[in-house]
Amino acid sequence: MESKALIYYICRLKFYVFVMESILKEKIKEAIKSLYNSEVADSLIQIQETKKDFKGDFTLVVFPILRFSKNTPEQTGIEIGNYLIENFSVFSEYNVIKGFLNLIISDSWWVELFSKMSQVKDHCASCMVDNPQTILVEYSSPNTNKPLHLGHIRNNLLGYSLYRILSTCGHRVIKTNIVNDRGIHICKSMLAWIKFGNGETPETSGMKGDHLVGKYYVLFEKELKQQSEQLLKKGIDEETARNSAPLMLEAREMLLKWEAGDKEVFDLWTMMNSWVYKGFNETYEKLGVDFDKIYYESDTYKYGKEIVSKALNSNILYKNSDSSVWADLTSDGLDQKLLLRSDGTAVYITQDLGTACIRHEEFNFDKCIYVVGNEQNYHFQVLKAILKKMGYQWADGLIHFSYGMVELPEGRMKSREGTIVDADDLIKEMTDTAREVSLELGKLENYSNEEREEIFRQIGLGALKYFILKVDPRKNMTFNPVDSIDFNGNTGPFIQYTYARIRSVLKKATENNLKEDLMSVTSVKQTDKELQLIKILRKFPFVVSEAAVAYSPAIIANYCYDLSKEYNQFYHDHSILSDEDENIRSFRLVLSRVTSEILNSGMSLLGIEMPERM
RNA sequence: GGCCCUAUAGUUCAAUGGAUAGAAUGGAGGUUUCCUAAACCUUAGAUUCAGGUUCGAUUCCUGGUAGGGCUACCA
């Protein structure tokens, strides 16, 4: 992940590509050259949007220019302001407050711009990058011993949204998943199932497959705890007790058998995994995410072991006296890292090495973005360092998209305390709440059950997705179940509602045979609120580009909220269909239509569906 | 112990080194004969502490405090 400073640097470069900002900067440089006979470095021309409380569109921070003007901030601002007004017609006025030169762009320029925007089919078209890349996005990465939970939901939503955003910007994006389907954890579930399962299957139990396998994992841990407690009483320390308990020894043995290809173990493993995959697929489908290519650790770990042996032969790695294999990363400021156990079995990172190589051979990617929680920051440092050590230069393109943990109001989710929020339960609860709220408000009374259920689903998921995606991915977030089902304020349903109201107006316009006349855009006199709406609509492509560079769906989420808020104010203060003036009616129709299109595009980049009515 | 991350209204989130730190929610009050009141309006309320760099610091640097993570022959 690039540093924050670098991200902003890139953003700024990109922004100047866009029309108004680049014009502004050039004109200001021209003004300074003419007034003070000085060439100014770009970095000294600081342009920002004017704060709401002041009159203006763009603001030049004058302080850095003082070294050229050798004058007070006030005077310098006035001089530059006068020059711009006299020489360039896009500027209609200016004012100087303290060290800030507030420039006002003429209304006609904004209106002209909006007129063009209203004829554009794809509002993301200008986000296309000049150099498209091949990018793999890895997300979800479940273990096959437990169902998906709230943490996976954040992961999946971020990964999927990242895919939407990057591909909208013109990159070739491949959605991938690595399923951690082997290892000691799945042996634990298998062992418990053999011992206590009595042949139970998803069919006989009526349980979703991933939940059923999860049940046996929990059972294993419970039994193991009892066994370790027995040993603890004999005065053995906790760690040793856990590791030497009979169940644990059996699980280890099973892992060895699995790696040796023991048929009985392998068949059981295949069966139980197939239950889990069926369950996962249901959850993914409900969540609206999918993958282009799914990798399985059970395939890739072999290749991982191969490249480890190869590197061992080239003396890049070393073998310990107990024949475990290690990488020495002290020269990179990291530690020694185990790559193969003394019994020759692979560890977690071994398969990640293999997976990375396989992916590179398969896709020759420019970047491979791992959507994985920040608890694995060290893991990815190590992964990259080892690959580089092995001579794979492309490892520079591995990016750990390190997102923050999801916590509950009472702290971290803990399986031992039963506070894990299950993904399937959560999705269901959100839909149920949407249904409850809608019915209570008496909405959708004249629609069929199927239509209503579809809308409840969209609202429930919209609420969940927005609640999670509006937060800066890098930060830990608190998931408060009570807040998450609130559909008022800064929420997904608020934005969906704004959209649904617009769609309703547009529908009514069609019914009443009111048509858009694009000439109306330039022929009417806009109100302040209308101009404000135009100005925020214009920012959409900037926002998408910024989100792509910063890997942050949150930027788009917050934009959609701002836009909705702005539109709702407009909607409240203006009538659209019942205004007397035909041109005004038409213009407001265009304004509403473009708003709905941009809201829809923005939310679809978050993977959120928009109901036509609600 | 070592390394990393975080700290903003009661709460959940915003804020390129720039102006009077924005929203939402909760609190108090108001708006519907009119295109969906899941809306709109008014109001009170915050940068963890101590230094430093700077014309200017929530933002950058150092230290303290508090919280979280990593430091497995777990994944």
Side-chain angles (χ1 to χ4, degrees):
Chain A
M1 173 69 71
E2 283 98 327
S3 73
K4 202 172 177 185
L6 184 58
I7 287 168
Y8 285 128
Y9 176 71
I10 295 168
C11 288
R12 256 180 252 145
L13 279 183
K14 239 194 112 50
F15 276 50
Y16 294 138
V17 175
F18 289 84
V19 189
M20 194 60 226
E21 280 72 2
S22 63
I23 294 176
L24 243 178
K25 194 157 199 185
E26 284 314 304
K27 299 302 183 201
I28 288 167
K29 280 170 92 166
E30 212 175 302
I32 293 169
K33 176 137 204 235
S34 160
L35 289 166
Y36 313 123
N37 198 26
S38 309
E39 292 287 347
V40 191
D42 277 13
S43 62
L44 295 181
I45 301 180
Q46 292 179 26
I47 298 163
Q48 53 191 257
E49 273 178 68
T50 304
K51 299 250 181 204
K52 249 191 170 168
D53 300 331
F54 301 90
K55 187 166 164 55
D57 294 309
F58 295 98
T59 297
L60 174 72
V61 183
V62 183
F63 296 107
I65 316 281
L66 300 184
R67 65 181 80 168
F68 305 107
S69 71
K70 310 246 174 3
N71 208 331
T72 61
E74 283 281 331
Q75 271 308 313
T76 307
I78 290 169
E79 282 169 6
I80 297 172
N82 275 335
Y83 182 92
L84 292 174
I85 294 283
E86 278 161 28
N87 291 282
F88 307 108
S89 60
V90 285
F91 301 105
S92 61
E93 290 174 60
Y94 75 89
N95 62 76
V96 180
I97 298 166
K98 295 185 186 171
F100 300 90
L101 169 60
N102 299 320
L103 295 159
I104 295 148
I105 308 290
S106 68
D107 290 356
S108 61
W109 190 87
W110 291 114
V111 171
E112 196 60 45
L113 180 81
F114 178 70
S115 167
K116 287 187 188 116
M117 269 178 71
S118 68
Q119 295 167 60
V120 163
K121 279 214 172 75
D122 175 8
H123 296 287
C124 294
S126 51
C127 299
M128 286 290 178
V129 293
D130 299 328
N131 305 306
Q133 294 184 323
T134 297
I135 302 177
L136 260 75
V137 180
E138 176 198 293
Y139 60 95
S140 206
S141 324
N143 292 346
T144 52
N145 60 330
K146 277 186 249 178
L148 303 178
H149 58 71
L150 180 54
H152 291 109
I153 291 188
R154 190 178 196 191
N155 180 304
N156 287 330
L157 297 181
L158 284 170
Y160 187 74
S161 176
L162 217 49
Y163 147 73
R164 295 300 302 255
I165 293 167
L166 292 173
S167 47
T168 293
C169 292
H171 298 292
R172 177 186 175 227
V173 186
I174 298 120
K175 293 164 282 177
T176 88
N177 188 356
I178 175 90
V179 181
N180 298 130
D181 62 347
R182 52 138 240 136
I184 193 80
H185 60 284
I186 182 69
C187 290
K188 291 176 180 175
S189 295
M190 285 156 65
L191 197 60
W193 185 85
I194 290 173
K195 285 189 177 300
F196 317 110
N198 297 319
E200 193 178 32
T201 67
E203 286 74 30
T204 62
S205 65
M207 266 178 104
K208 202 161 159 273
D210 48 342
H211 289 260
L212 181 68
V213 171
K215 179 177 126 183
Y216 286 102
Y217 183 79
V218 172
L219 196 56
F220 176 94
E221 290 294 338
K222 201 178 128 204
E223 294 291 327
L224 176 66
K225 200 179 169 198
Q226 276 184 11
Q227 291 189 354
S228 346
E229 271 164 10
Q230 292 297 318
L231 294 172
L232 270 171
K233 280 182 198 155
K234 292 180 189 163
I236 300 170
D237 72 272
E238 203 178 324
E239 203 188 325
T240 318
R242 198 181 145 79
N243 285 327
S244 56
L247 264 181
M248 194 57 135
L249 296 178
E250 273 188 84
R252 285 251 168 68
E253 202 182 315
M254 196 178 227
L255 180 62
L256 271 173
K257 275 188 182 169
W258 183 90
E259 267 197 38
D262 180 280
K263 186 167 183 311
E264 208 173 308
V265 173
F266 202 84
D267 286 349
L268 175 61
W269 173 80
T270 307
M271 179 177 76
M272 287 179 75
N273 271 347
S274 74
W275 297 346
V276 173
Y277 298 147
K278 202 166 166 232
F280 282 172
N281 285 340
E282 256 179 60
T283 309
Y284 288 142
E285 203 175 317
K286 276 190 278 184
L287 214 47
V289 305
D290 57 13
F291 305 95
D292 300 310
K293 172 96 198 193
I294 298 178
Y295 292 91
Y296 296 90
E297 187 183 327
S298 54
D299 293 330
T300 62
Y301 87 101
K302 291 177 202 148
Y303 195 67
K305 284 171 97 169
E306 262 175 53
I307 61 170
V308 167
S309 334
K310 212 167 25 169
L312 182 63
N313 291 336
S314 322
N315 290 323
I316 295 167
L317 306 173
Y318 67 89
K319 200 170 231 176
N320 220 341
S321 56
D322 64 3
S323 71
S324 55
V325 178
W326 296 75
D328 180 3
L329 302 172
T330 45
S331 59
D332 297 289
L334 304 166
D335 285 326
Q336 316 285 328
K337 179 71 191 178
L338 175 93
L339 299 181
L340 291 177
R341 295 191 184 96
S342 49
D343 63 8
T345 54
V347 291
Y348 180 57
I349 201 164
T350 321
Q351 64 77 26
D352 247 342
L353 292 166
T355 311
C357 289
I358 292 171
R359 282 175 175 162
H360 190 261
E361 278 165 27
E362 204 166 337
F363 294 103
N364 192 27
F365 56 74
D366 298 295
K367 282 182 188 155
C368 179
I369 301 176
Y370 292 86
V371 181
V372 178
N374 61 16
E375 59 196 346
Q376 294 197 35
N377 285 354
Y378 183 74
H379 171 79
F380 281 100
Q381 268 185 44
V382 170
L383 179 68
K384 205 163 170 173
I386 295 175
L387 286 168
K388 292 285 291 236
K389 214 176 167 69
M390 289 175 166
Y392 301 112
Q393 280 313 306
W394 50 260
D396 285 326
L398 301 189
I399 295 165
H400 178 202
F401 177 87
S402 166
Y403 66 90
M405 301 283 93
V406 184
E407 287 168 11
L408 301 174
E410 55 275 13
R412 202 178 173 181
M413 291 189 284
K414 292 193 182 101
S415 50
R416 257 180 298 173
E417 290 164 28
T419 54
I420 303 277
V421 177
D422 179 73
D424 296 314
D425 291 349
L426 185 56
I427 293 168
K428 183 170 183 305
E429 275 163 34
M430 297 303 284
T431 307
D432 289 346
T433 306
R435 184 183 303 113
E436 224 169 89
V437 173
S438 293
L439 295 178
E440 203 169 293
L441 291 172
K443 305 263 180 177
L444 305 170
E445 272 165 353
N446 43 0
Y447 292 101
S448 75
N449 249 342
E450 291 76 42
E451 283 174 309
R452 290 203 296 205
E453 283 303 317
E454 171 64 2
I455 293 167
F456 300 151
R457 187 190 64 78
Q458 289 177 337
I459 296 171
L461 270 171
L464 176 62
K465 291 182 178 184
Y466 184 86
F467 188 83
I468 287 172
L469 288 175
K470 74 172 175 188
V471 182
D472 182 340
R474 291 162 198 78
K475 292 191 176 173
N476 288 2
M477 65 171 290
T478 305
F479 185 87
N480 186 331
V482 178
D483 291 350
S484 73
I485 53 167
D486 190 347
F487 294 168
N488 302 314
N490 189 356
T491 64
F494 172 91
I495 299 166
Q496 290 174 318
Y497 178 69
T498 309
Y499 176 81
R501 283 209 300 197
I502 298 176
R503 295 298 298 170
S504 169
V505 169
L506 297 182
K507 198 172 151 225
K508 228 160 231 160
T510 312
E511 283 165 10
N512 298 344
N513 213 19
L514 288 175
K515 291 217 171 72
E516 284 184 10
D517 172 10
L518 288 177
M519 293 303 288
S520 70
V521 173
T522 42
S523 68
V524 306
K525 167 91 183 113
Q526 279 76 14
T527 65
D528 283 350
K529 192 44 92 184
E530 287 164 342
L531 281 166
Q532 240 173 298
L533 199 45
I534 287 174
K535 288 171 192 177
I536 187 167
L537 284 168
R538 159 198 172 269
K539 288 200 286 190
F540 182 61
F542 295 60
V543 168
V544 175
S545 302
E546 193 187 349
V549 175
Y551 301 139
S552 178
I555 296 173
I556 295 174
N558 286 311
Y559 169 82
C560 288
Y561 173 69
D562 290 341
L563 175 56
S564 297
K565 205 169 165 50
E566 199 70 39
Y567 183 85
N568 282 337
Q569 287 165 3
F570 157 80
Y571 182 92
H572 184 265
D573 297 342
H574 300 67
S575 50
I576 300 165
L577 301 178
S578 47
D579 196 277
E580 296 161 8
D581 187 314
E582 189 185 342
N583 278 325
I584 289 178
R585 280 202 304 268
S586 165
F587 163 68
R588 289 180 182 164
L589 216 48
V590 177
L591 193 56
S592 300
R593 192 204 82 220
V594 173
T595 302
S596 73
E597 286 167 358
I598 287 184
L599 282 179
N600 198 23
S601 305
M603 293 293 268
S604 91
L605 292 174
L606 306 179
I608 297 175
E609 296 171 60
M610 298 289 257
E612 292 295 304
R613 54 190 102 90
M614 64 186 273

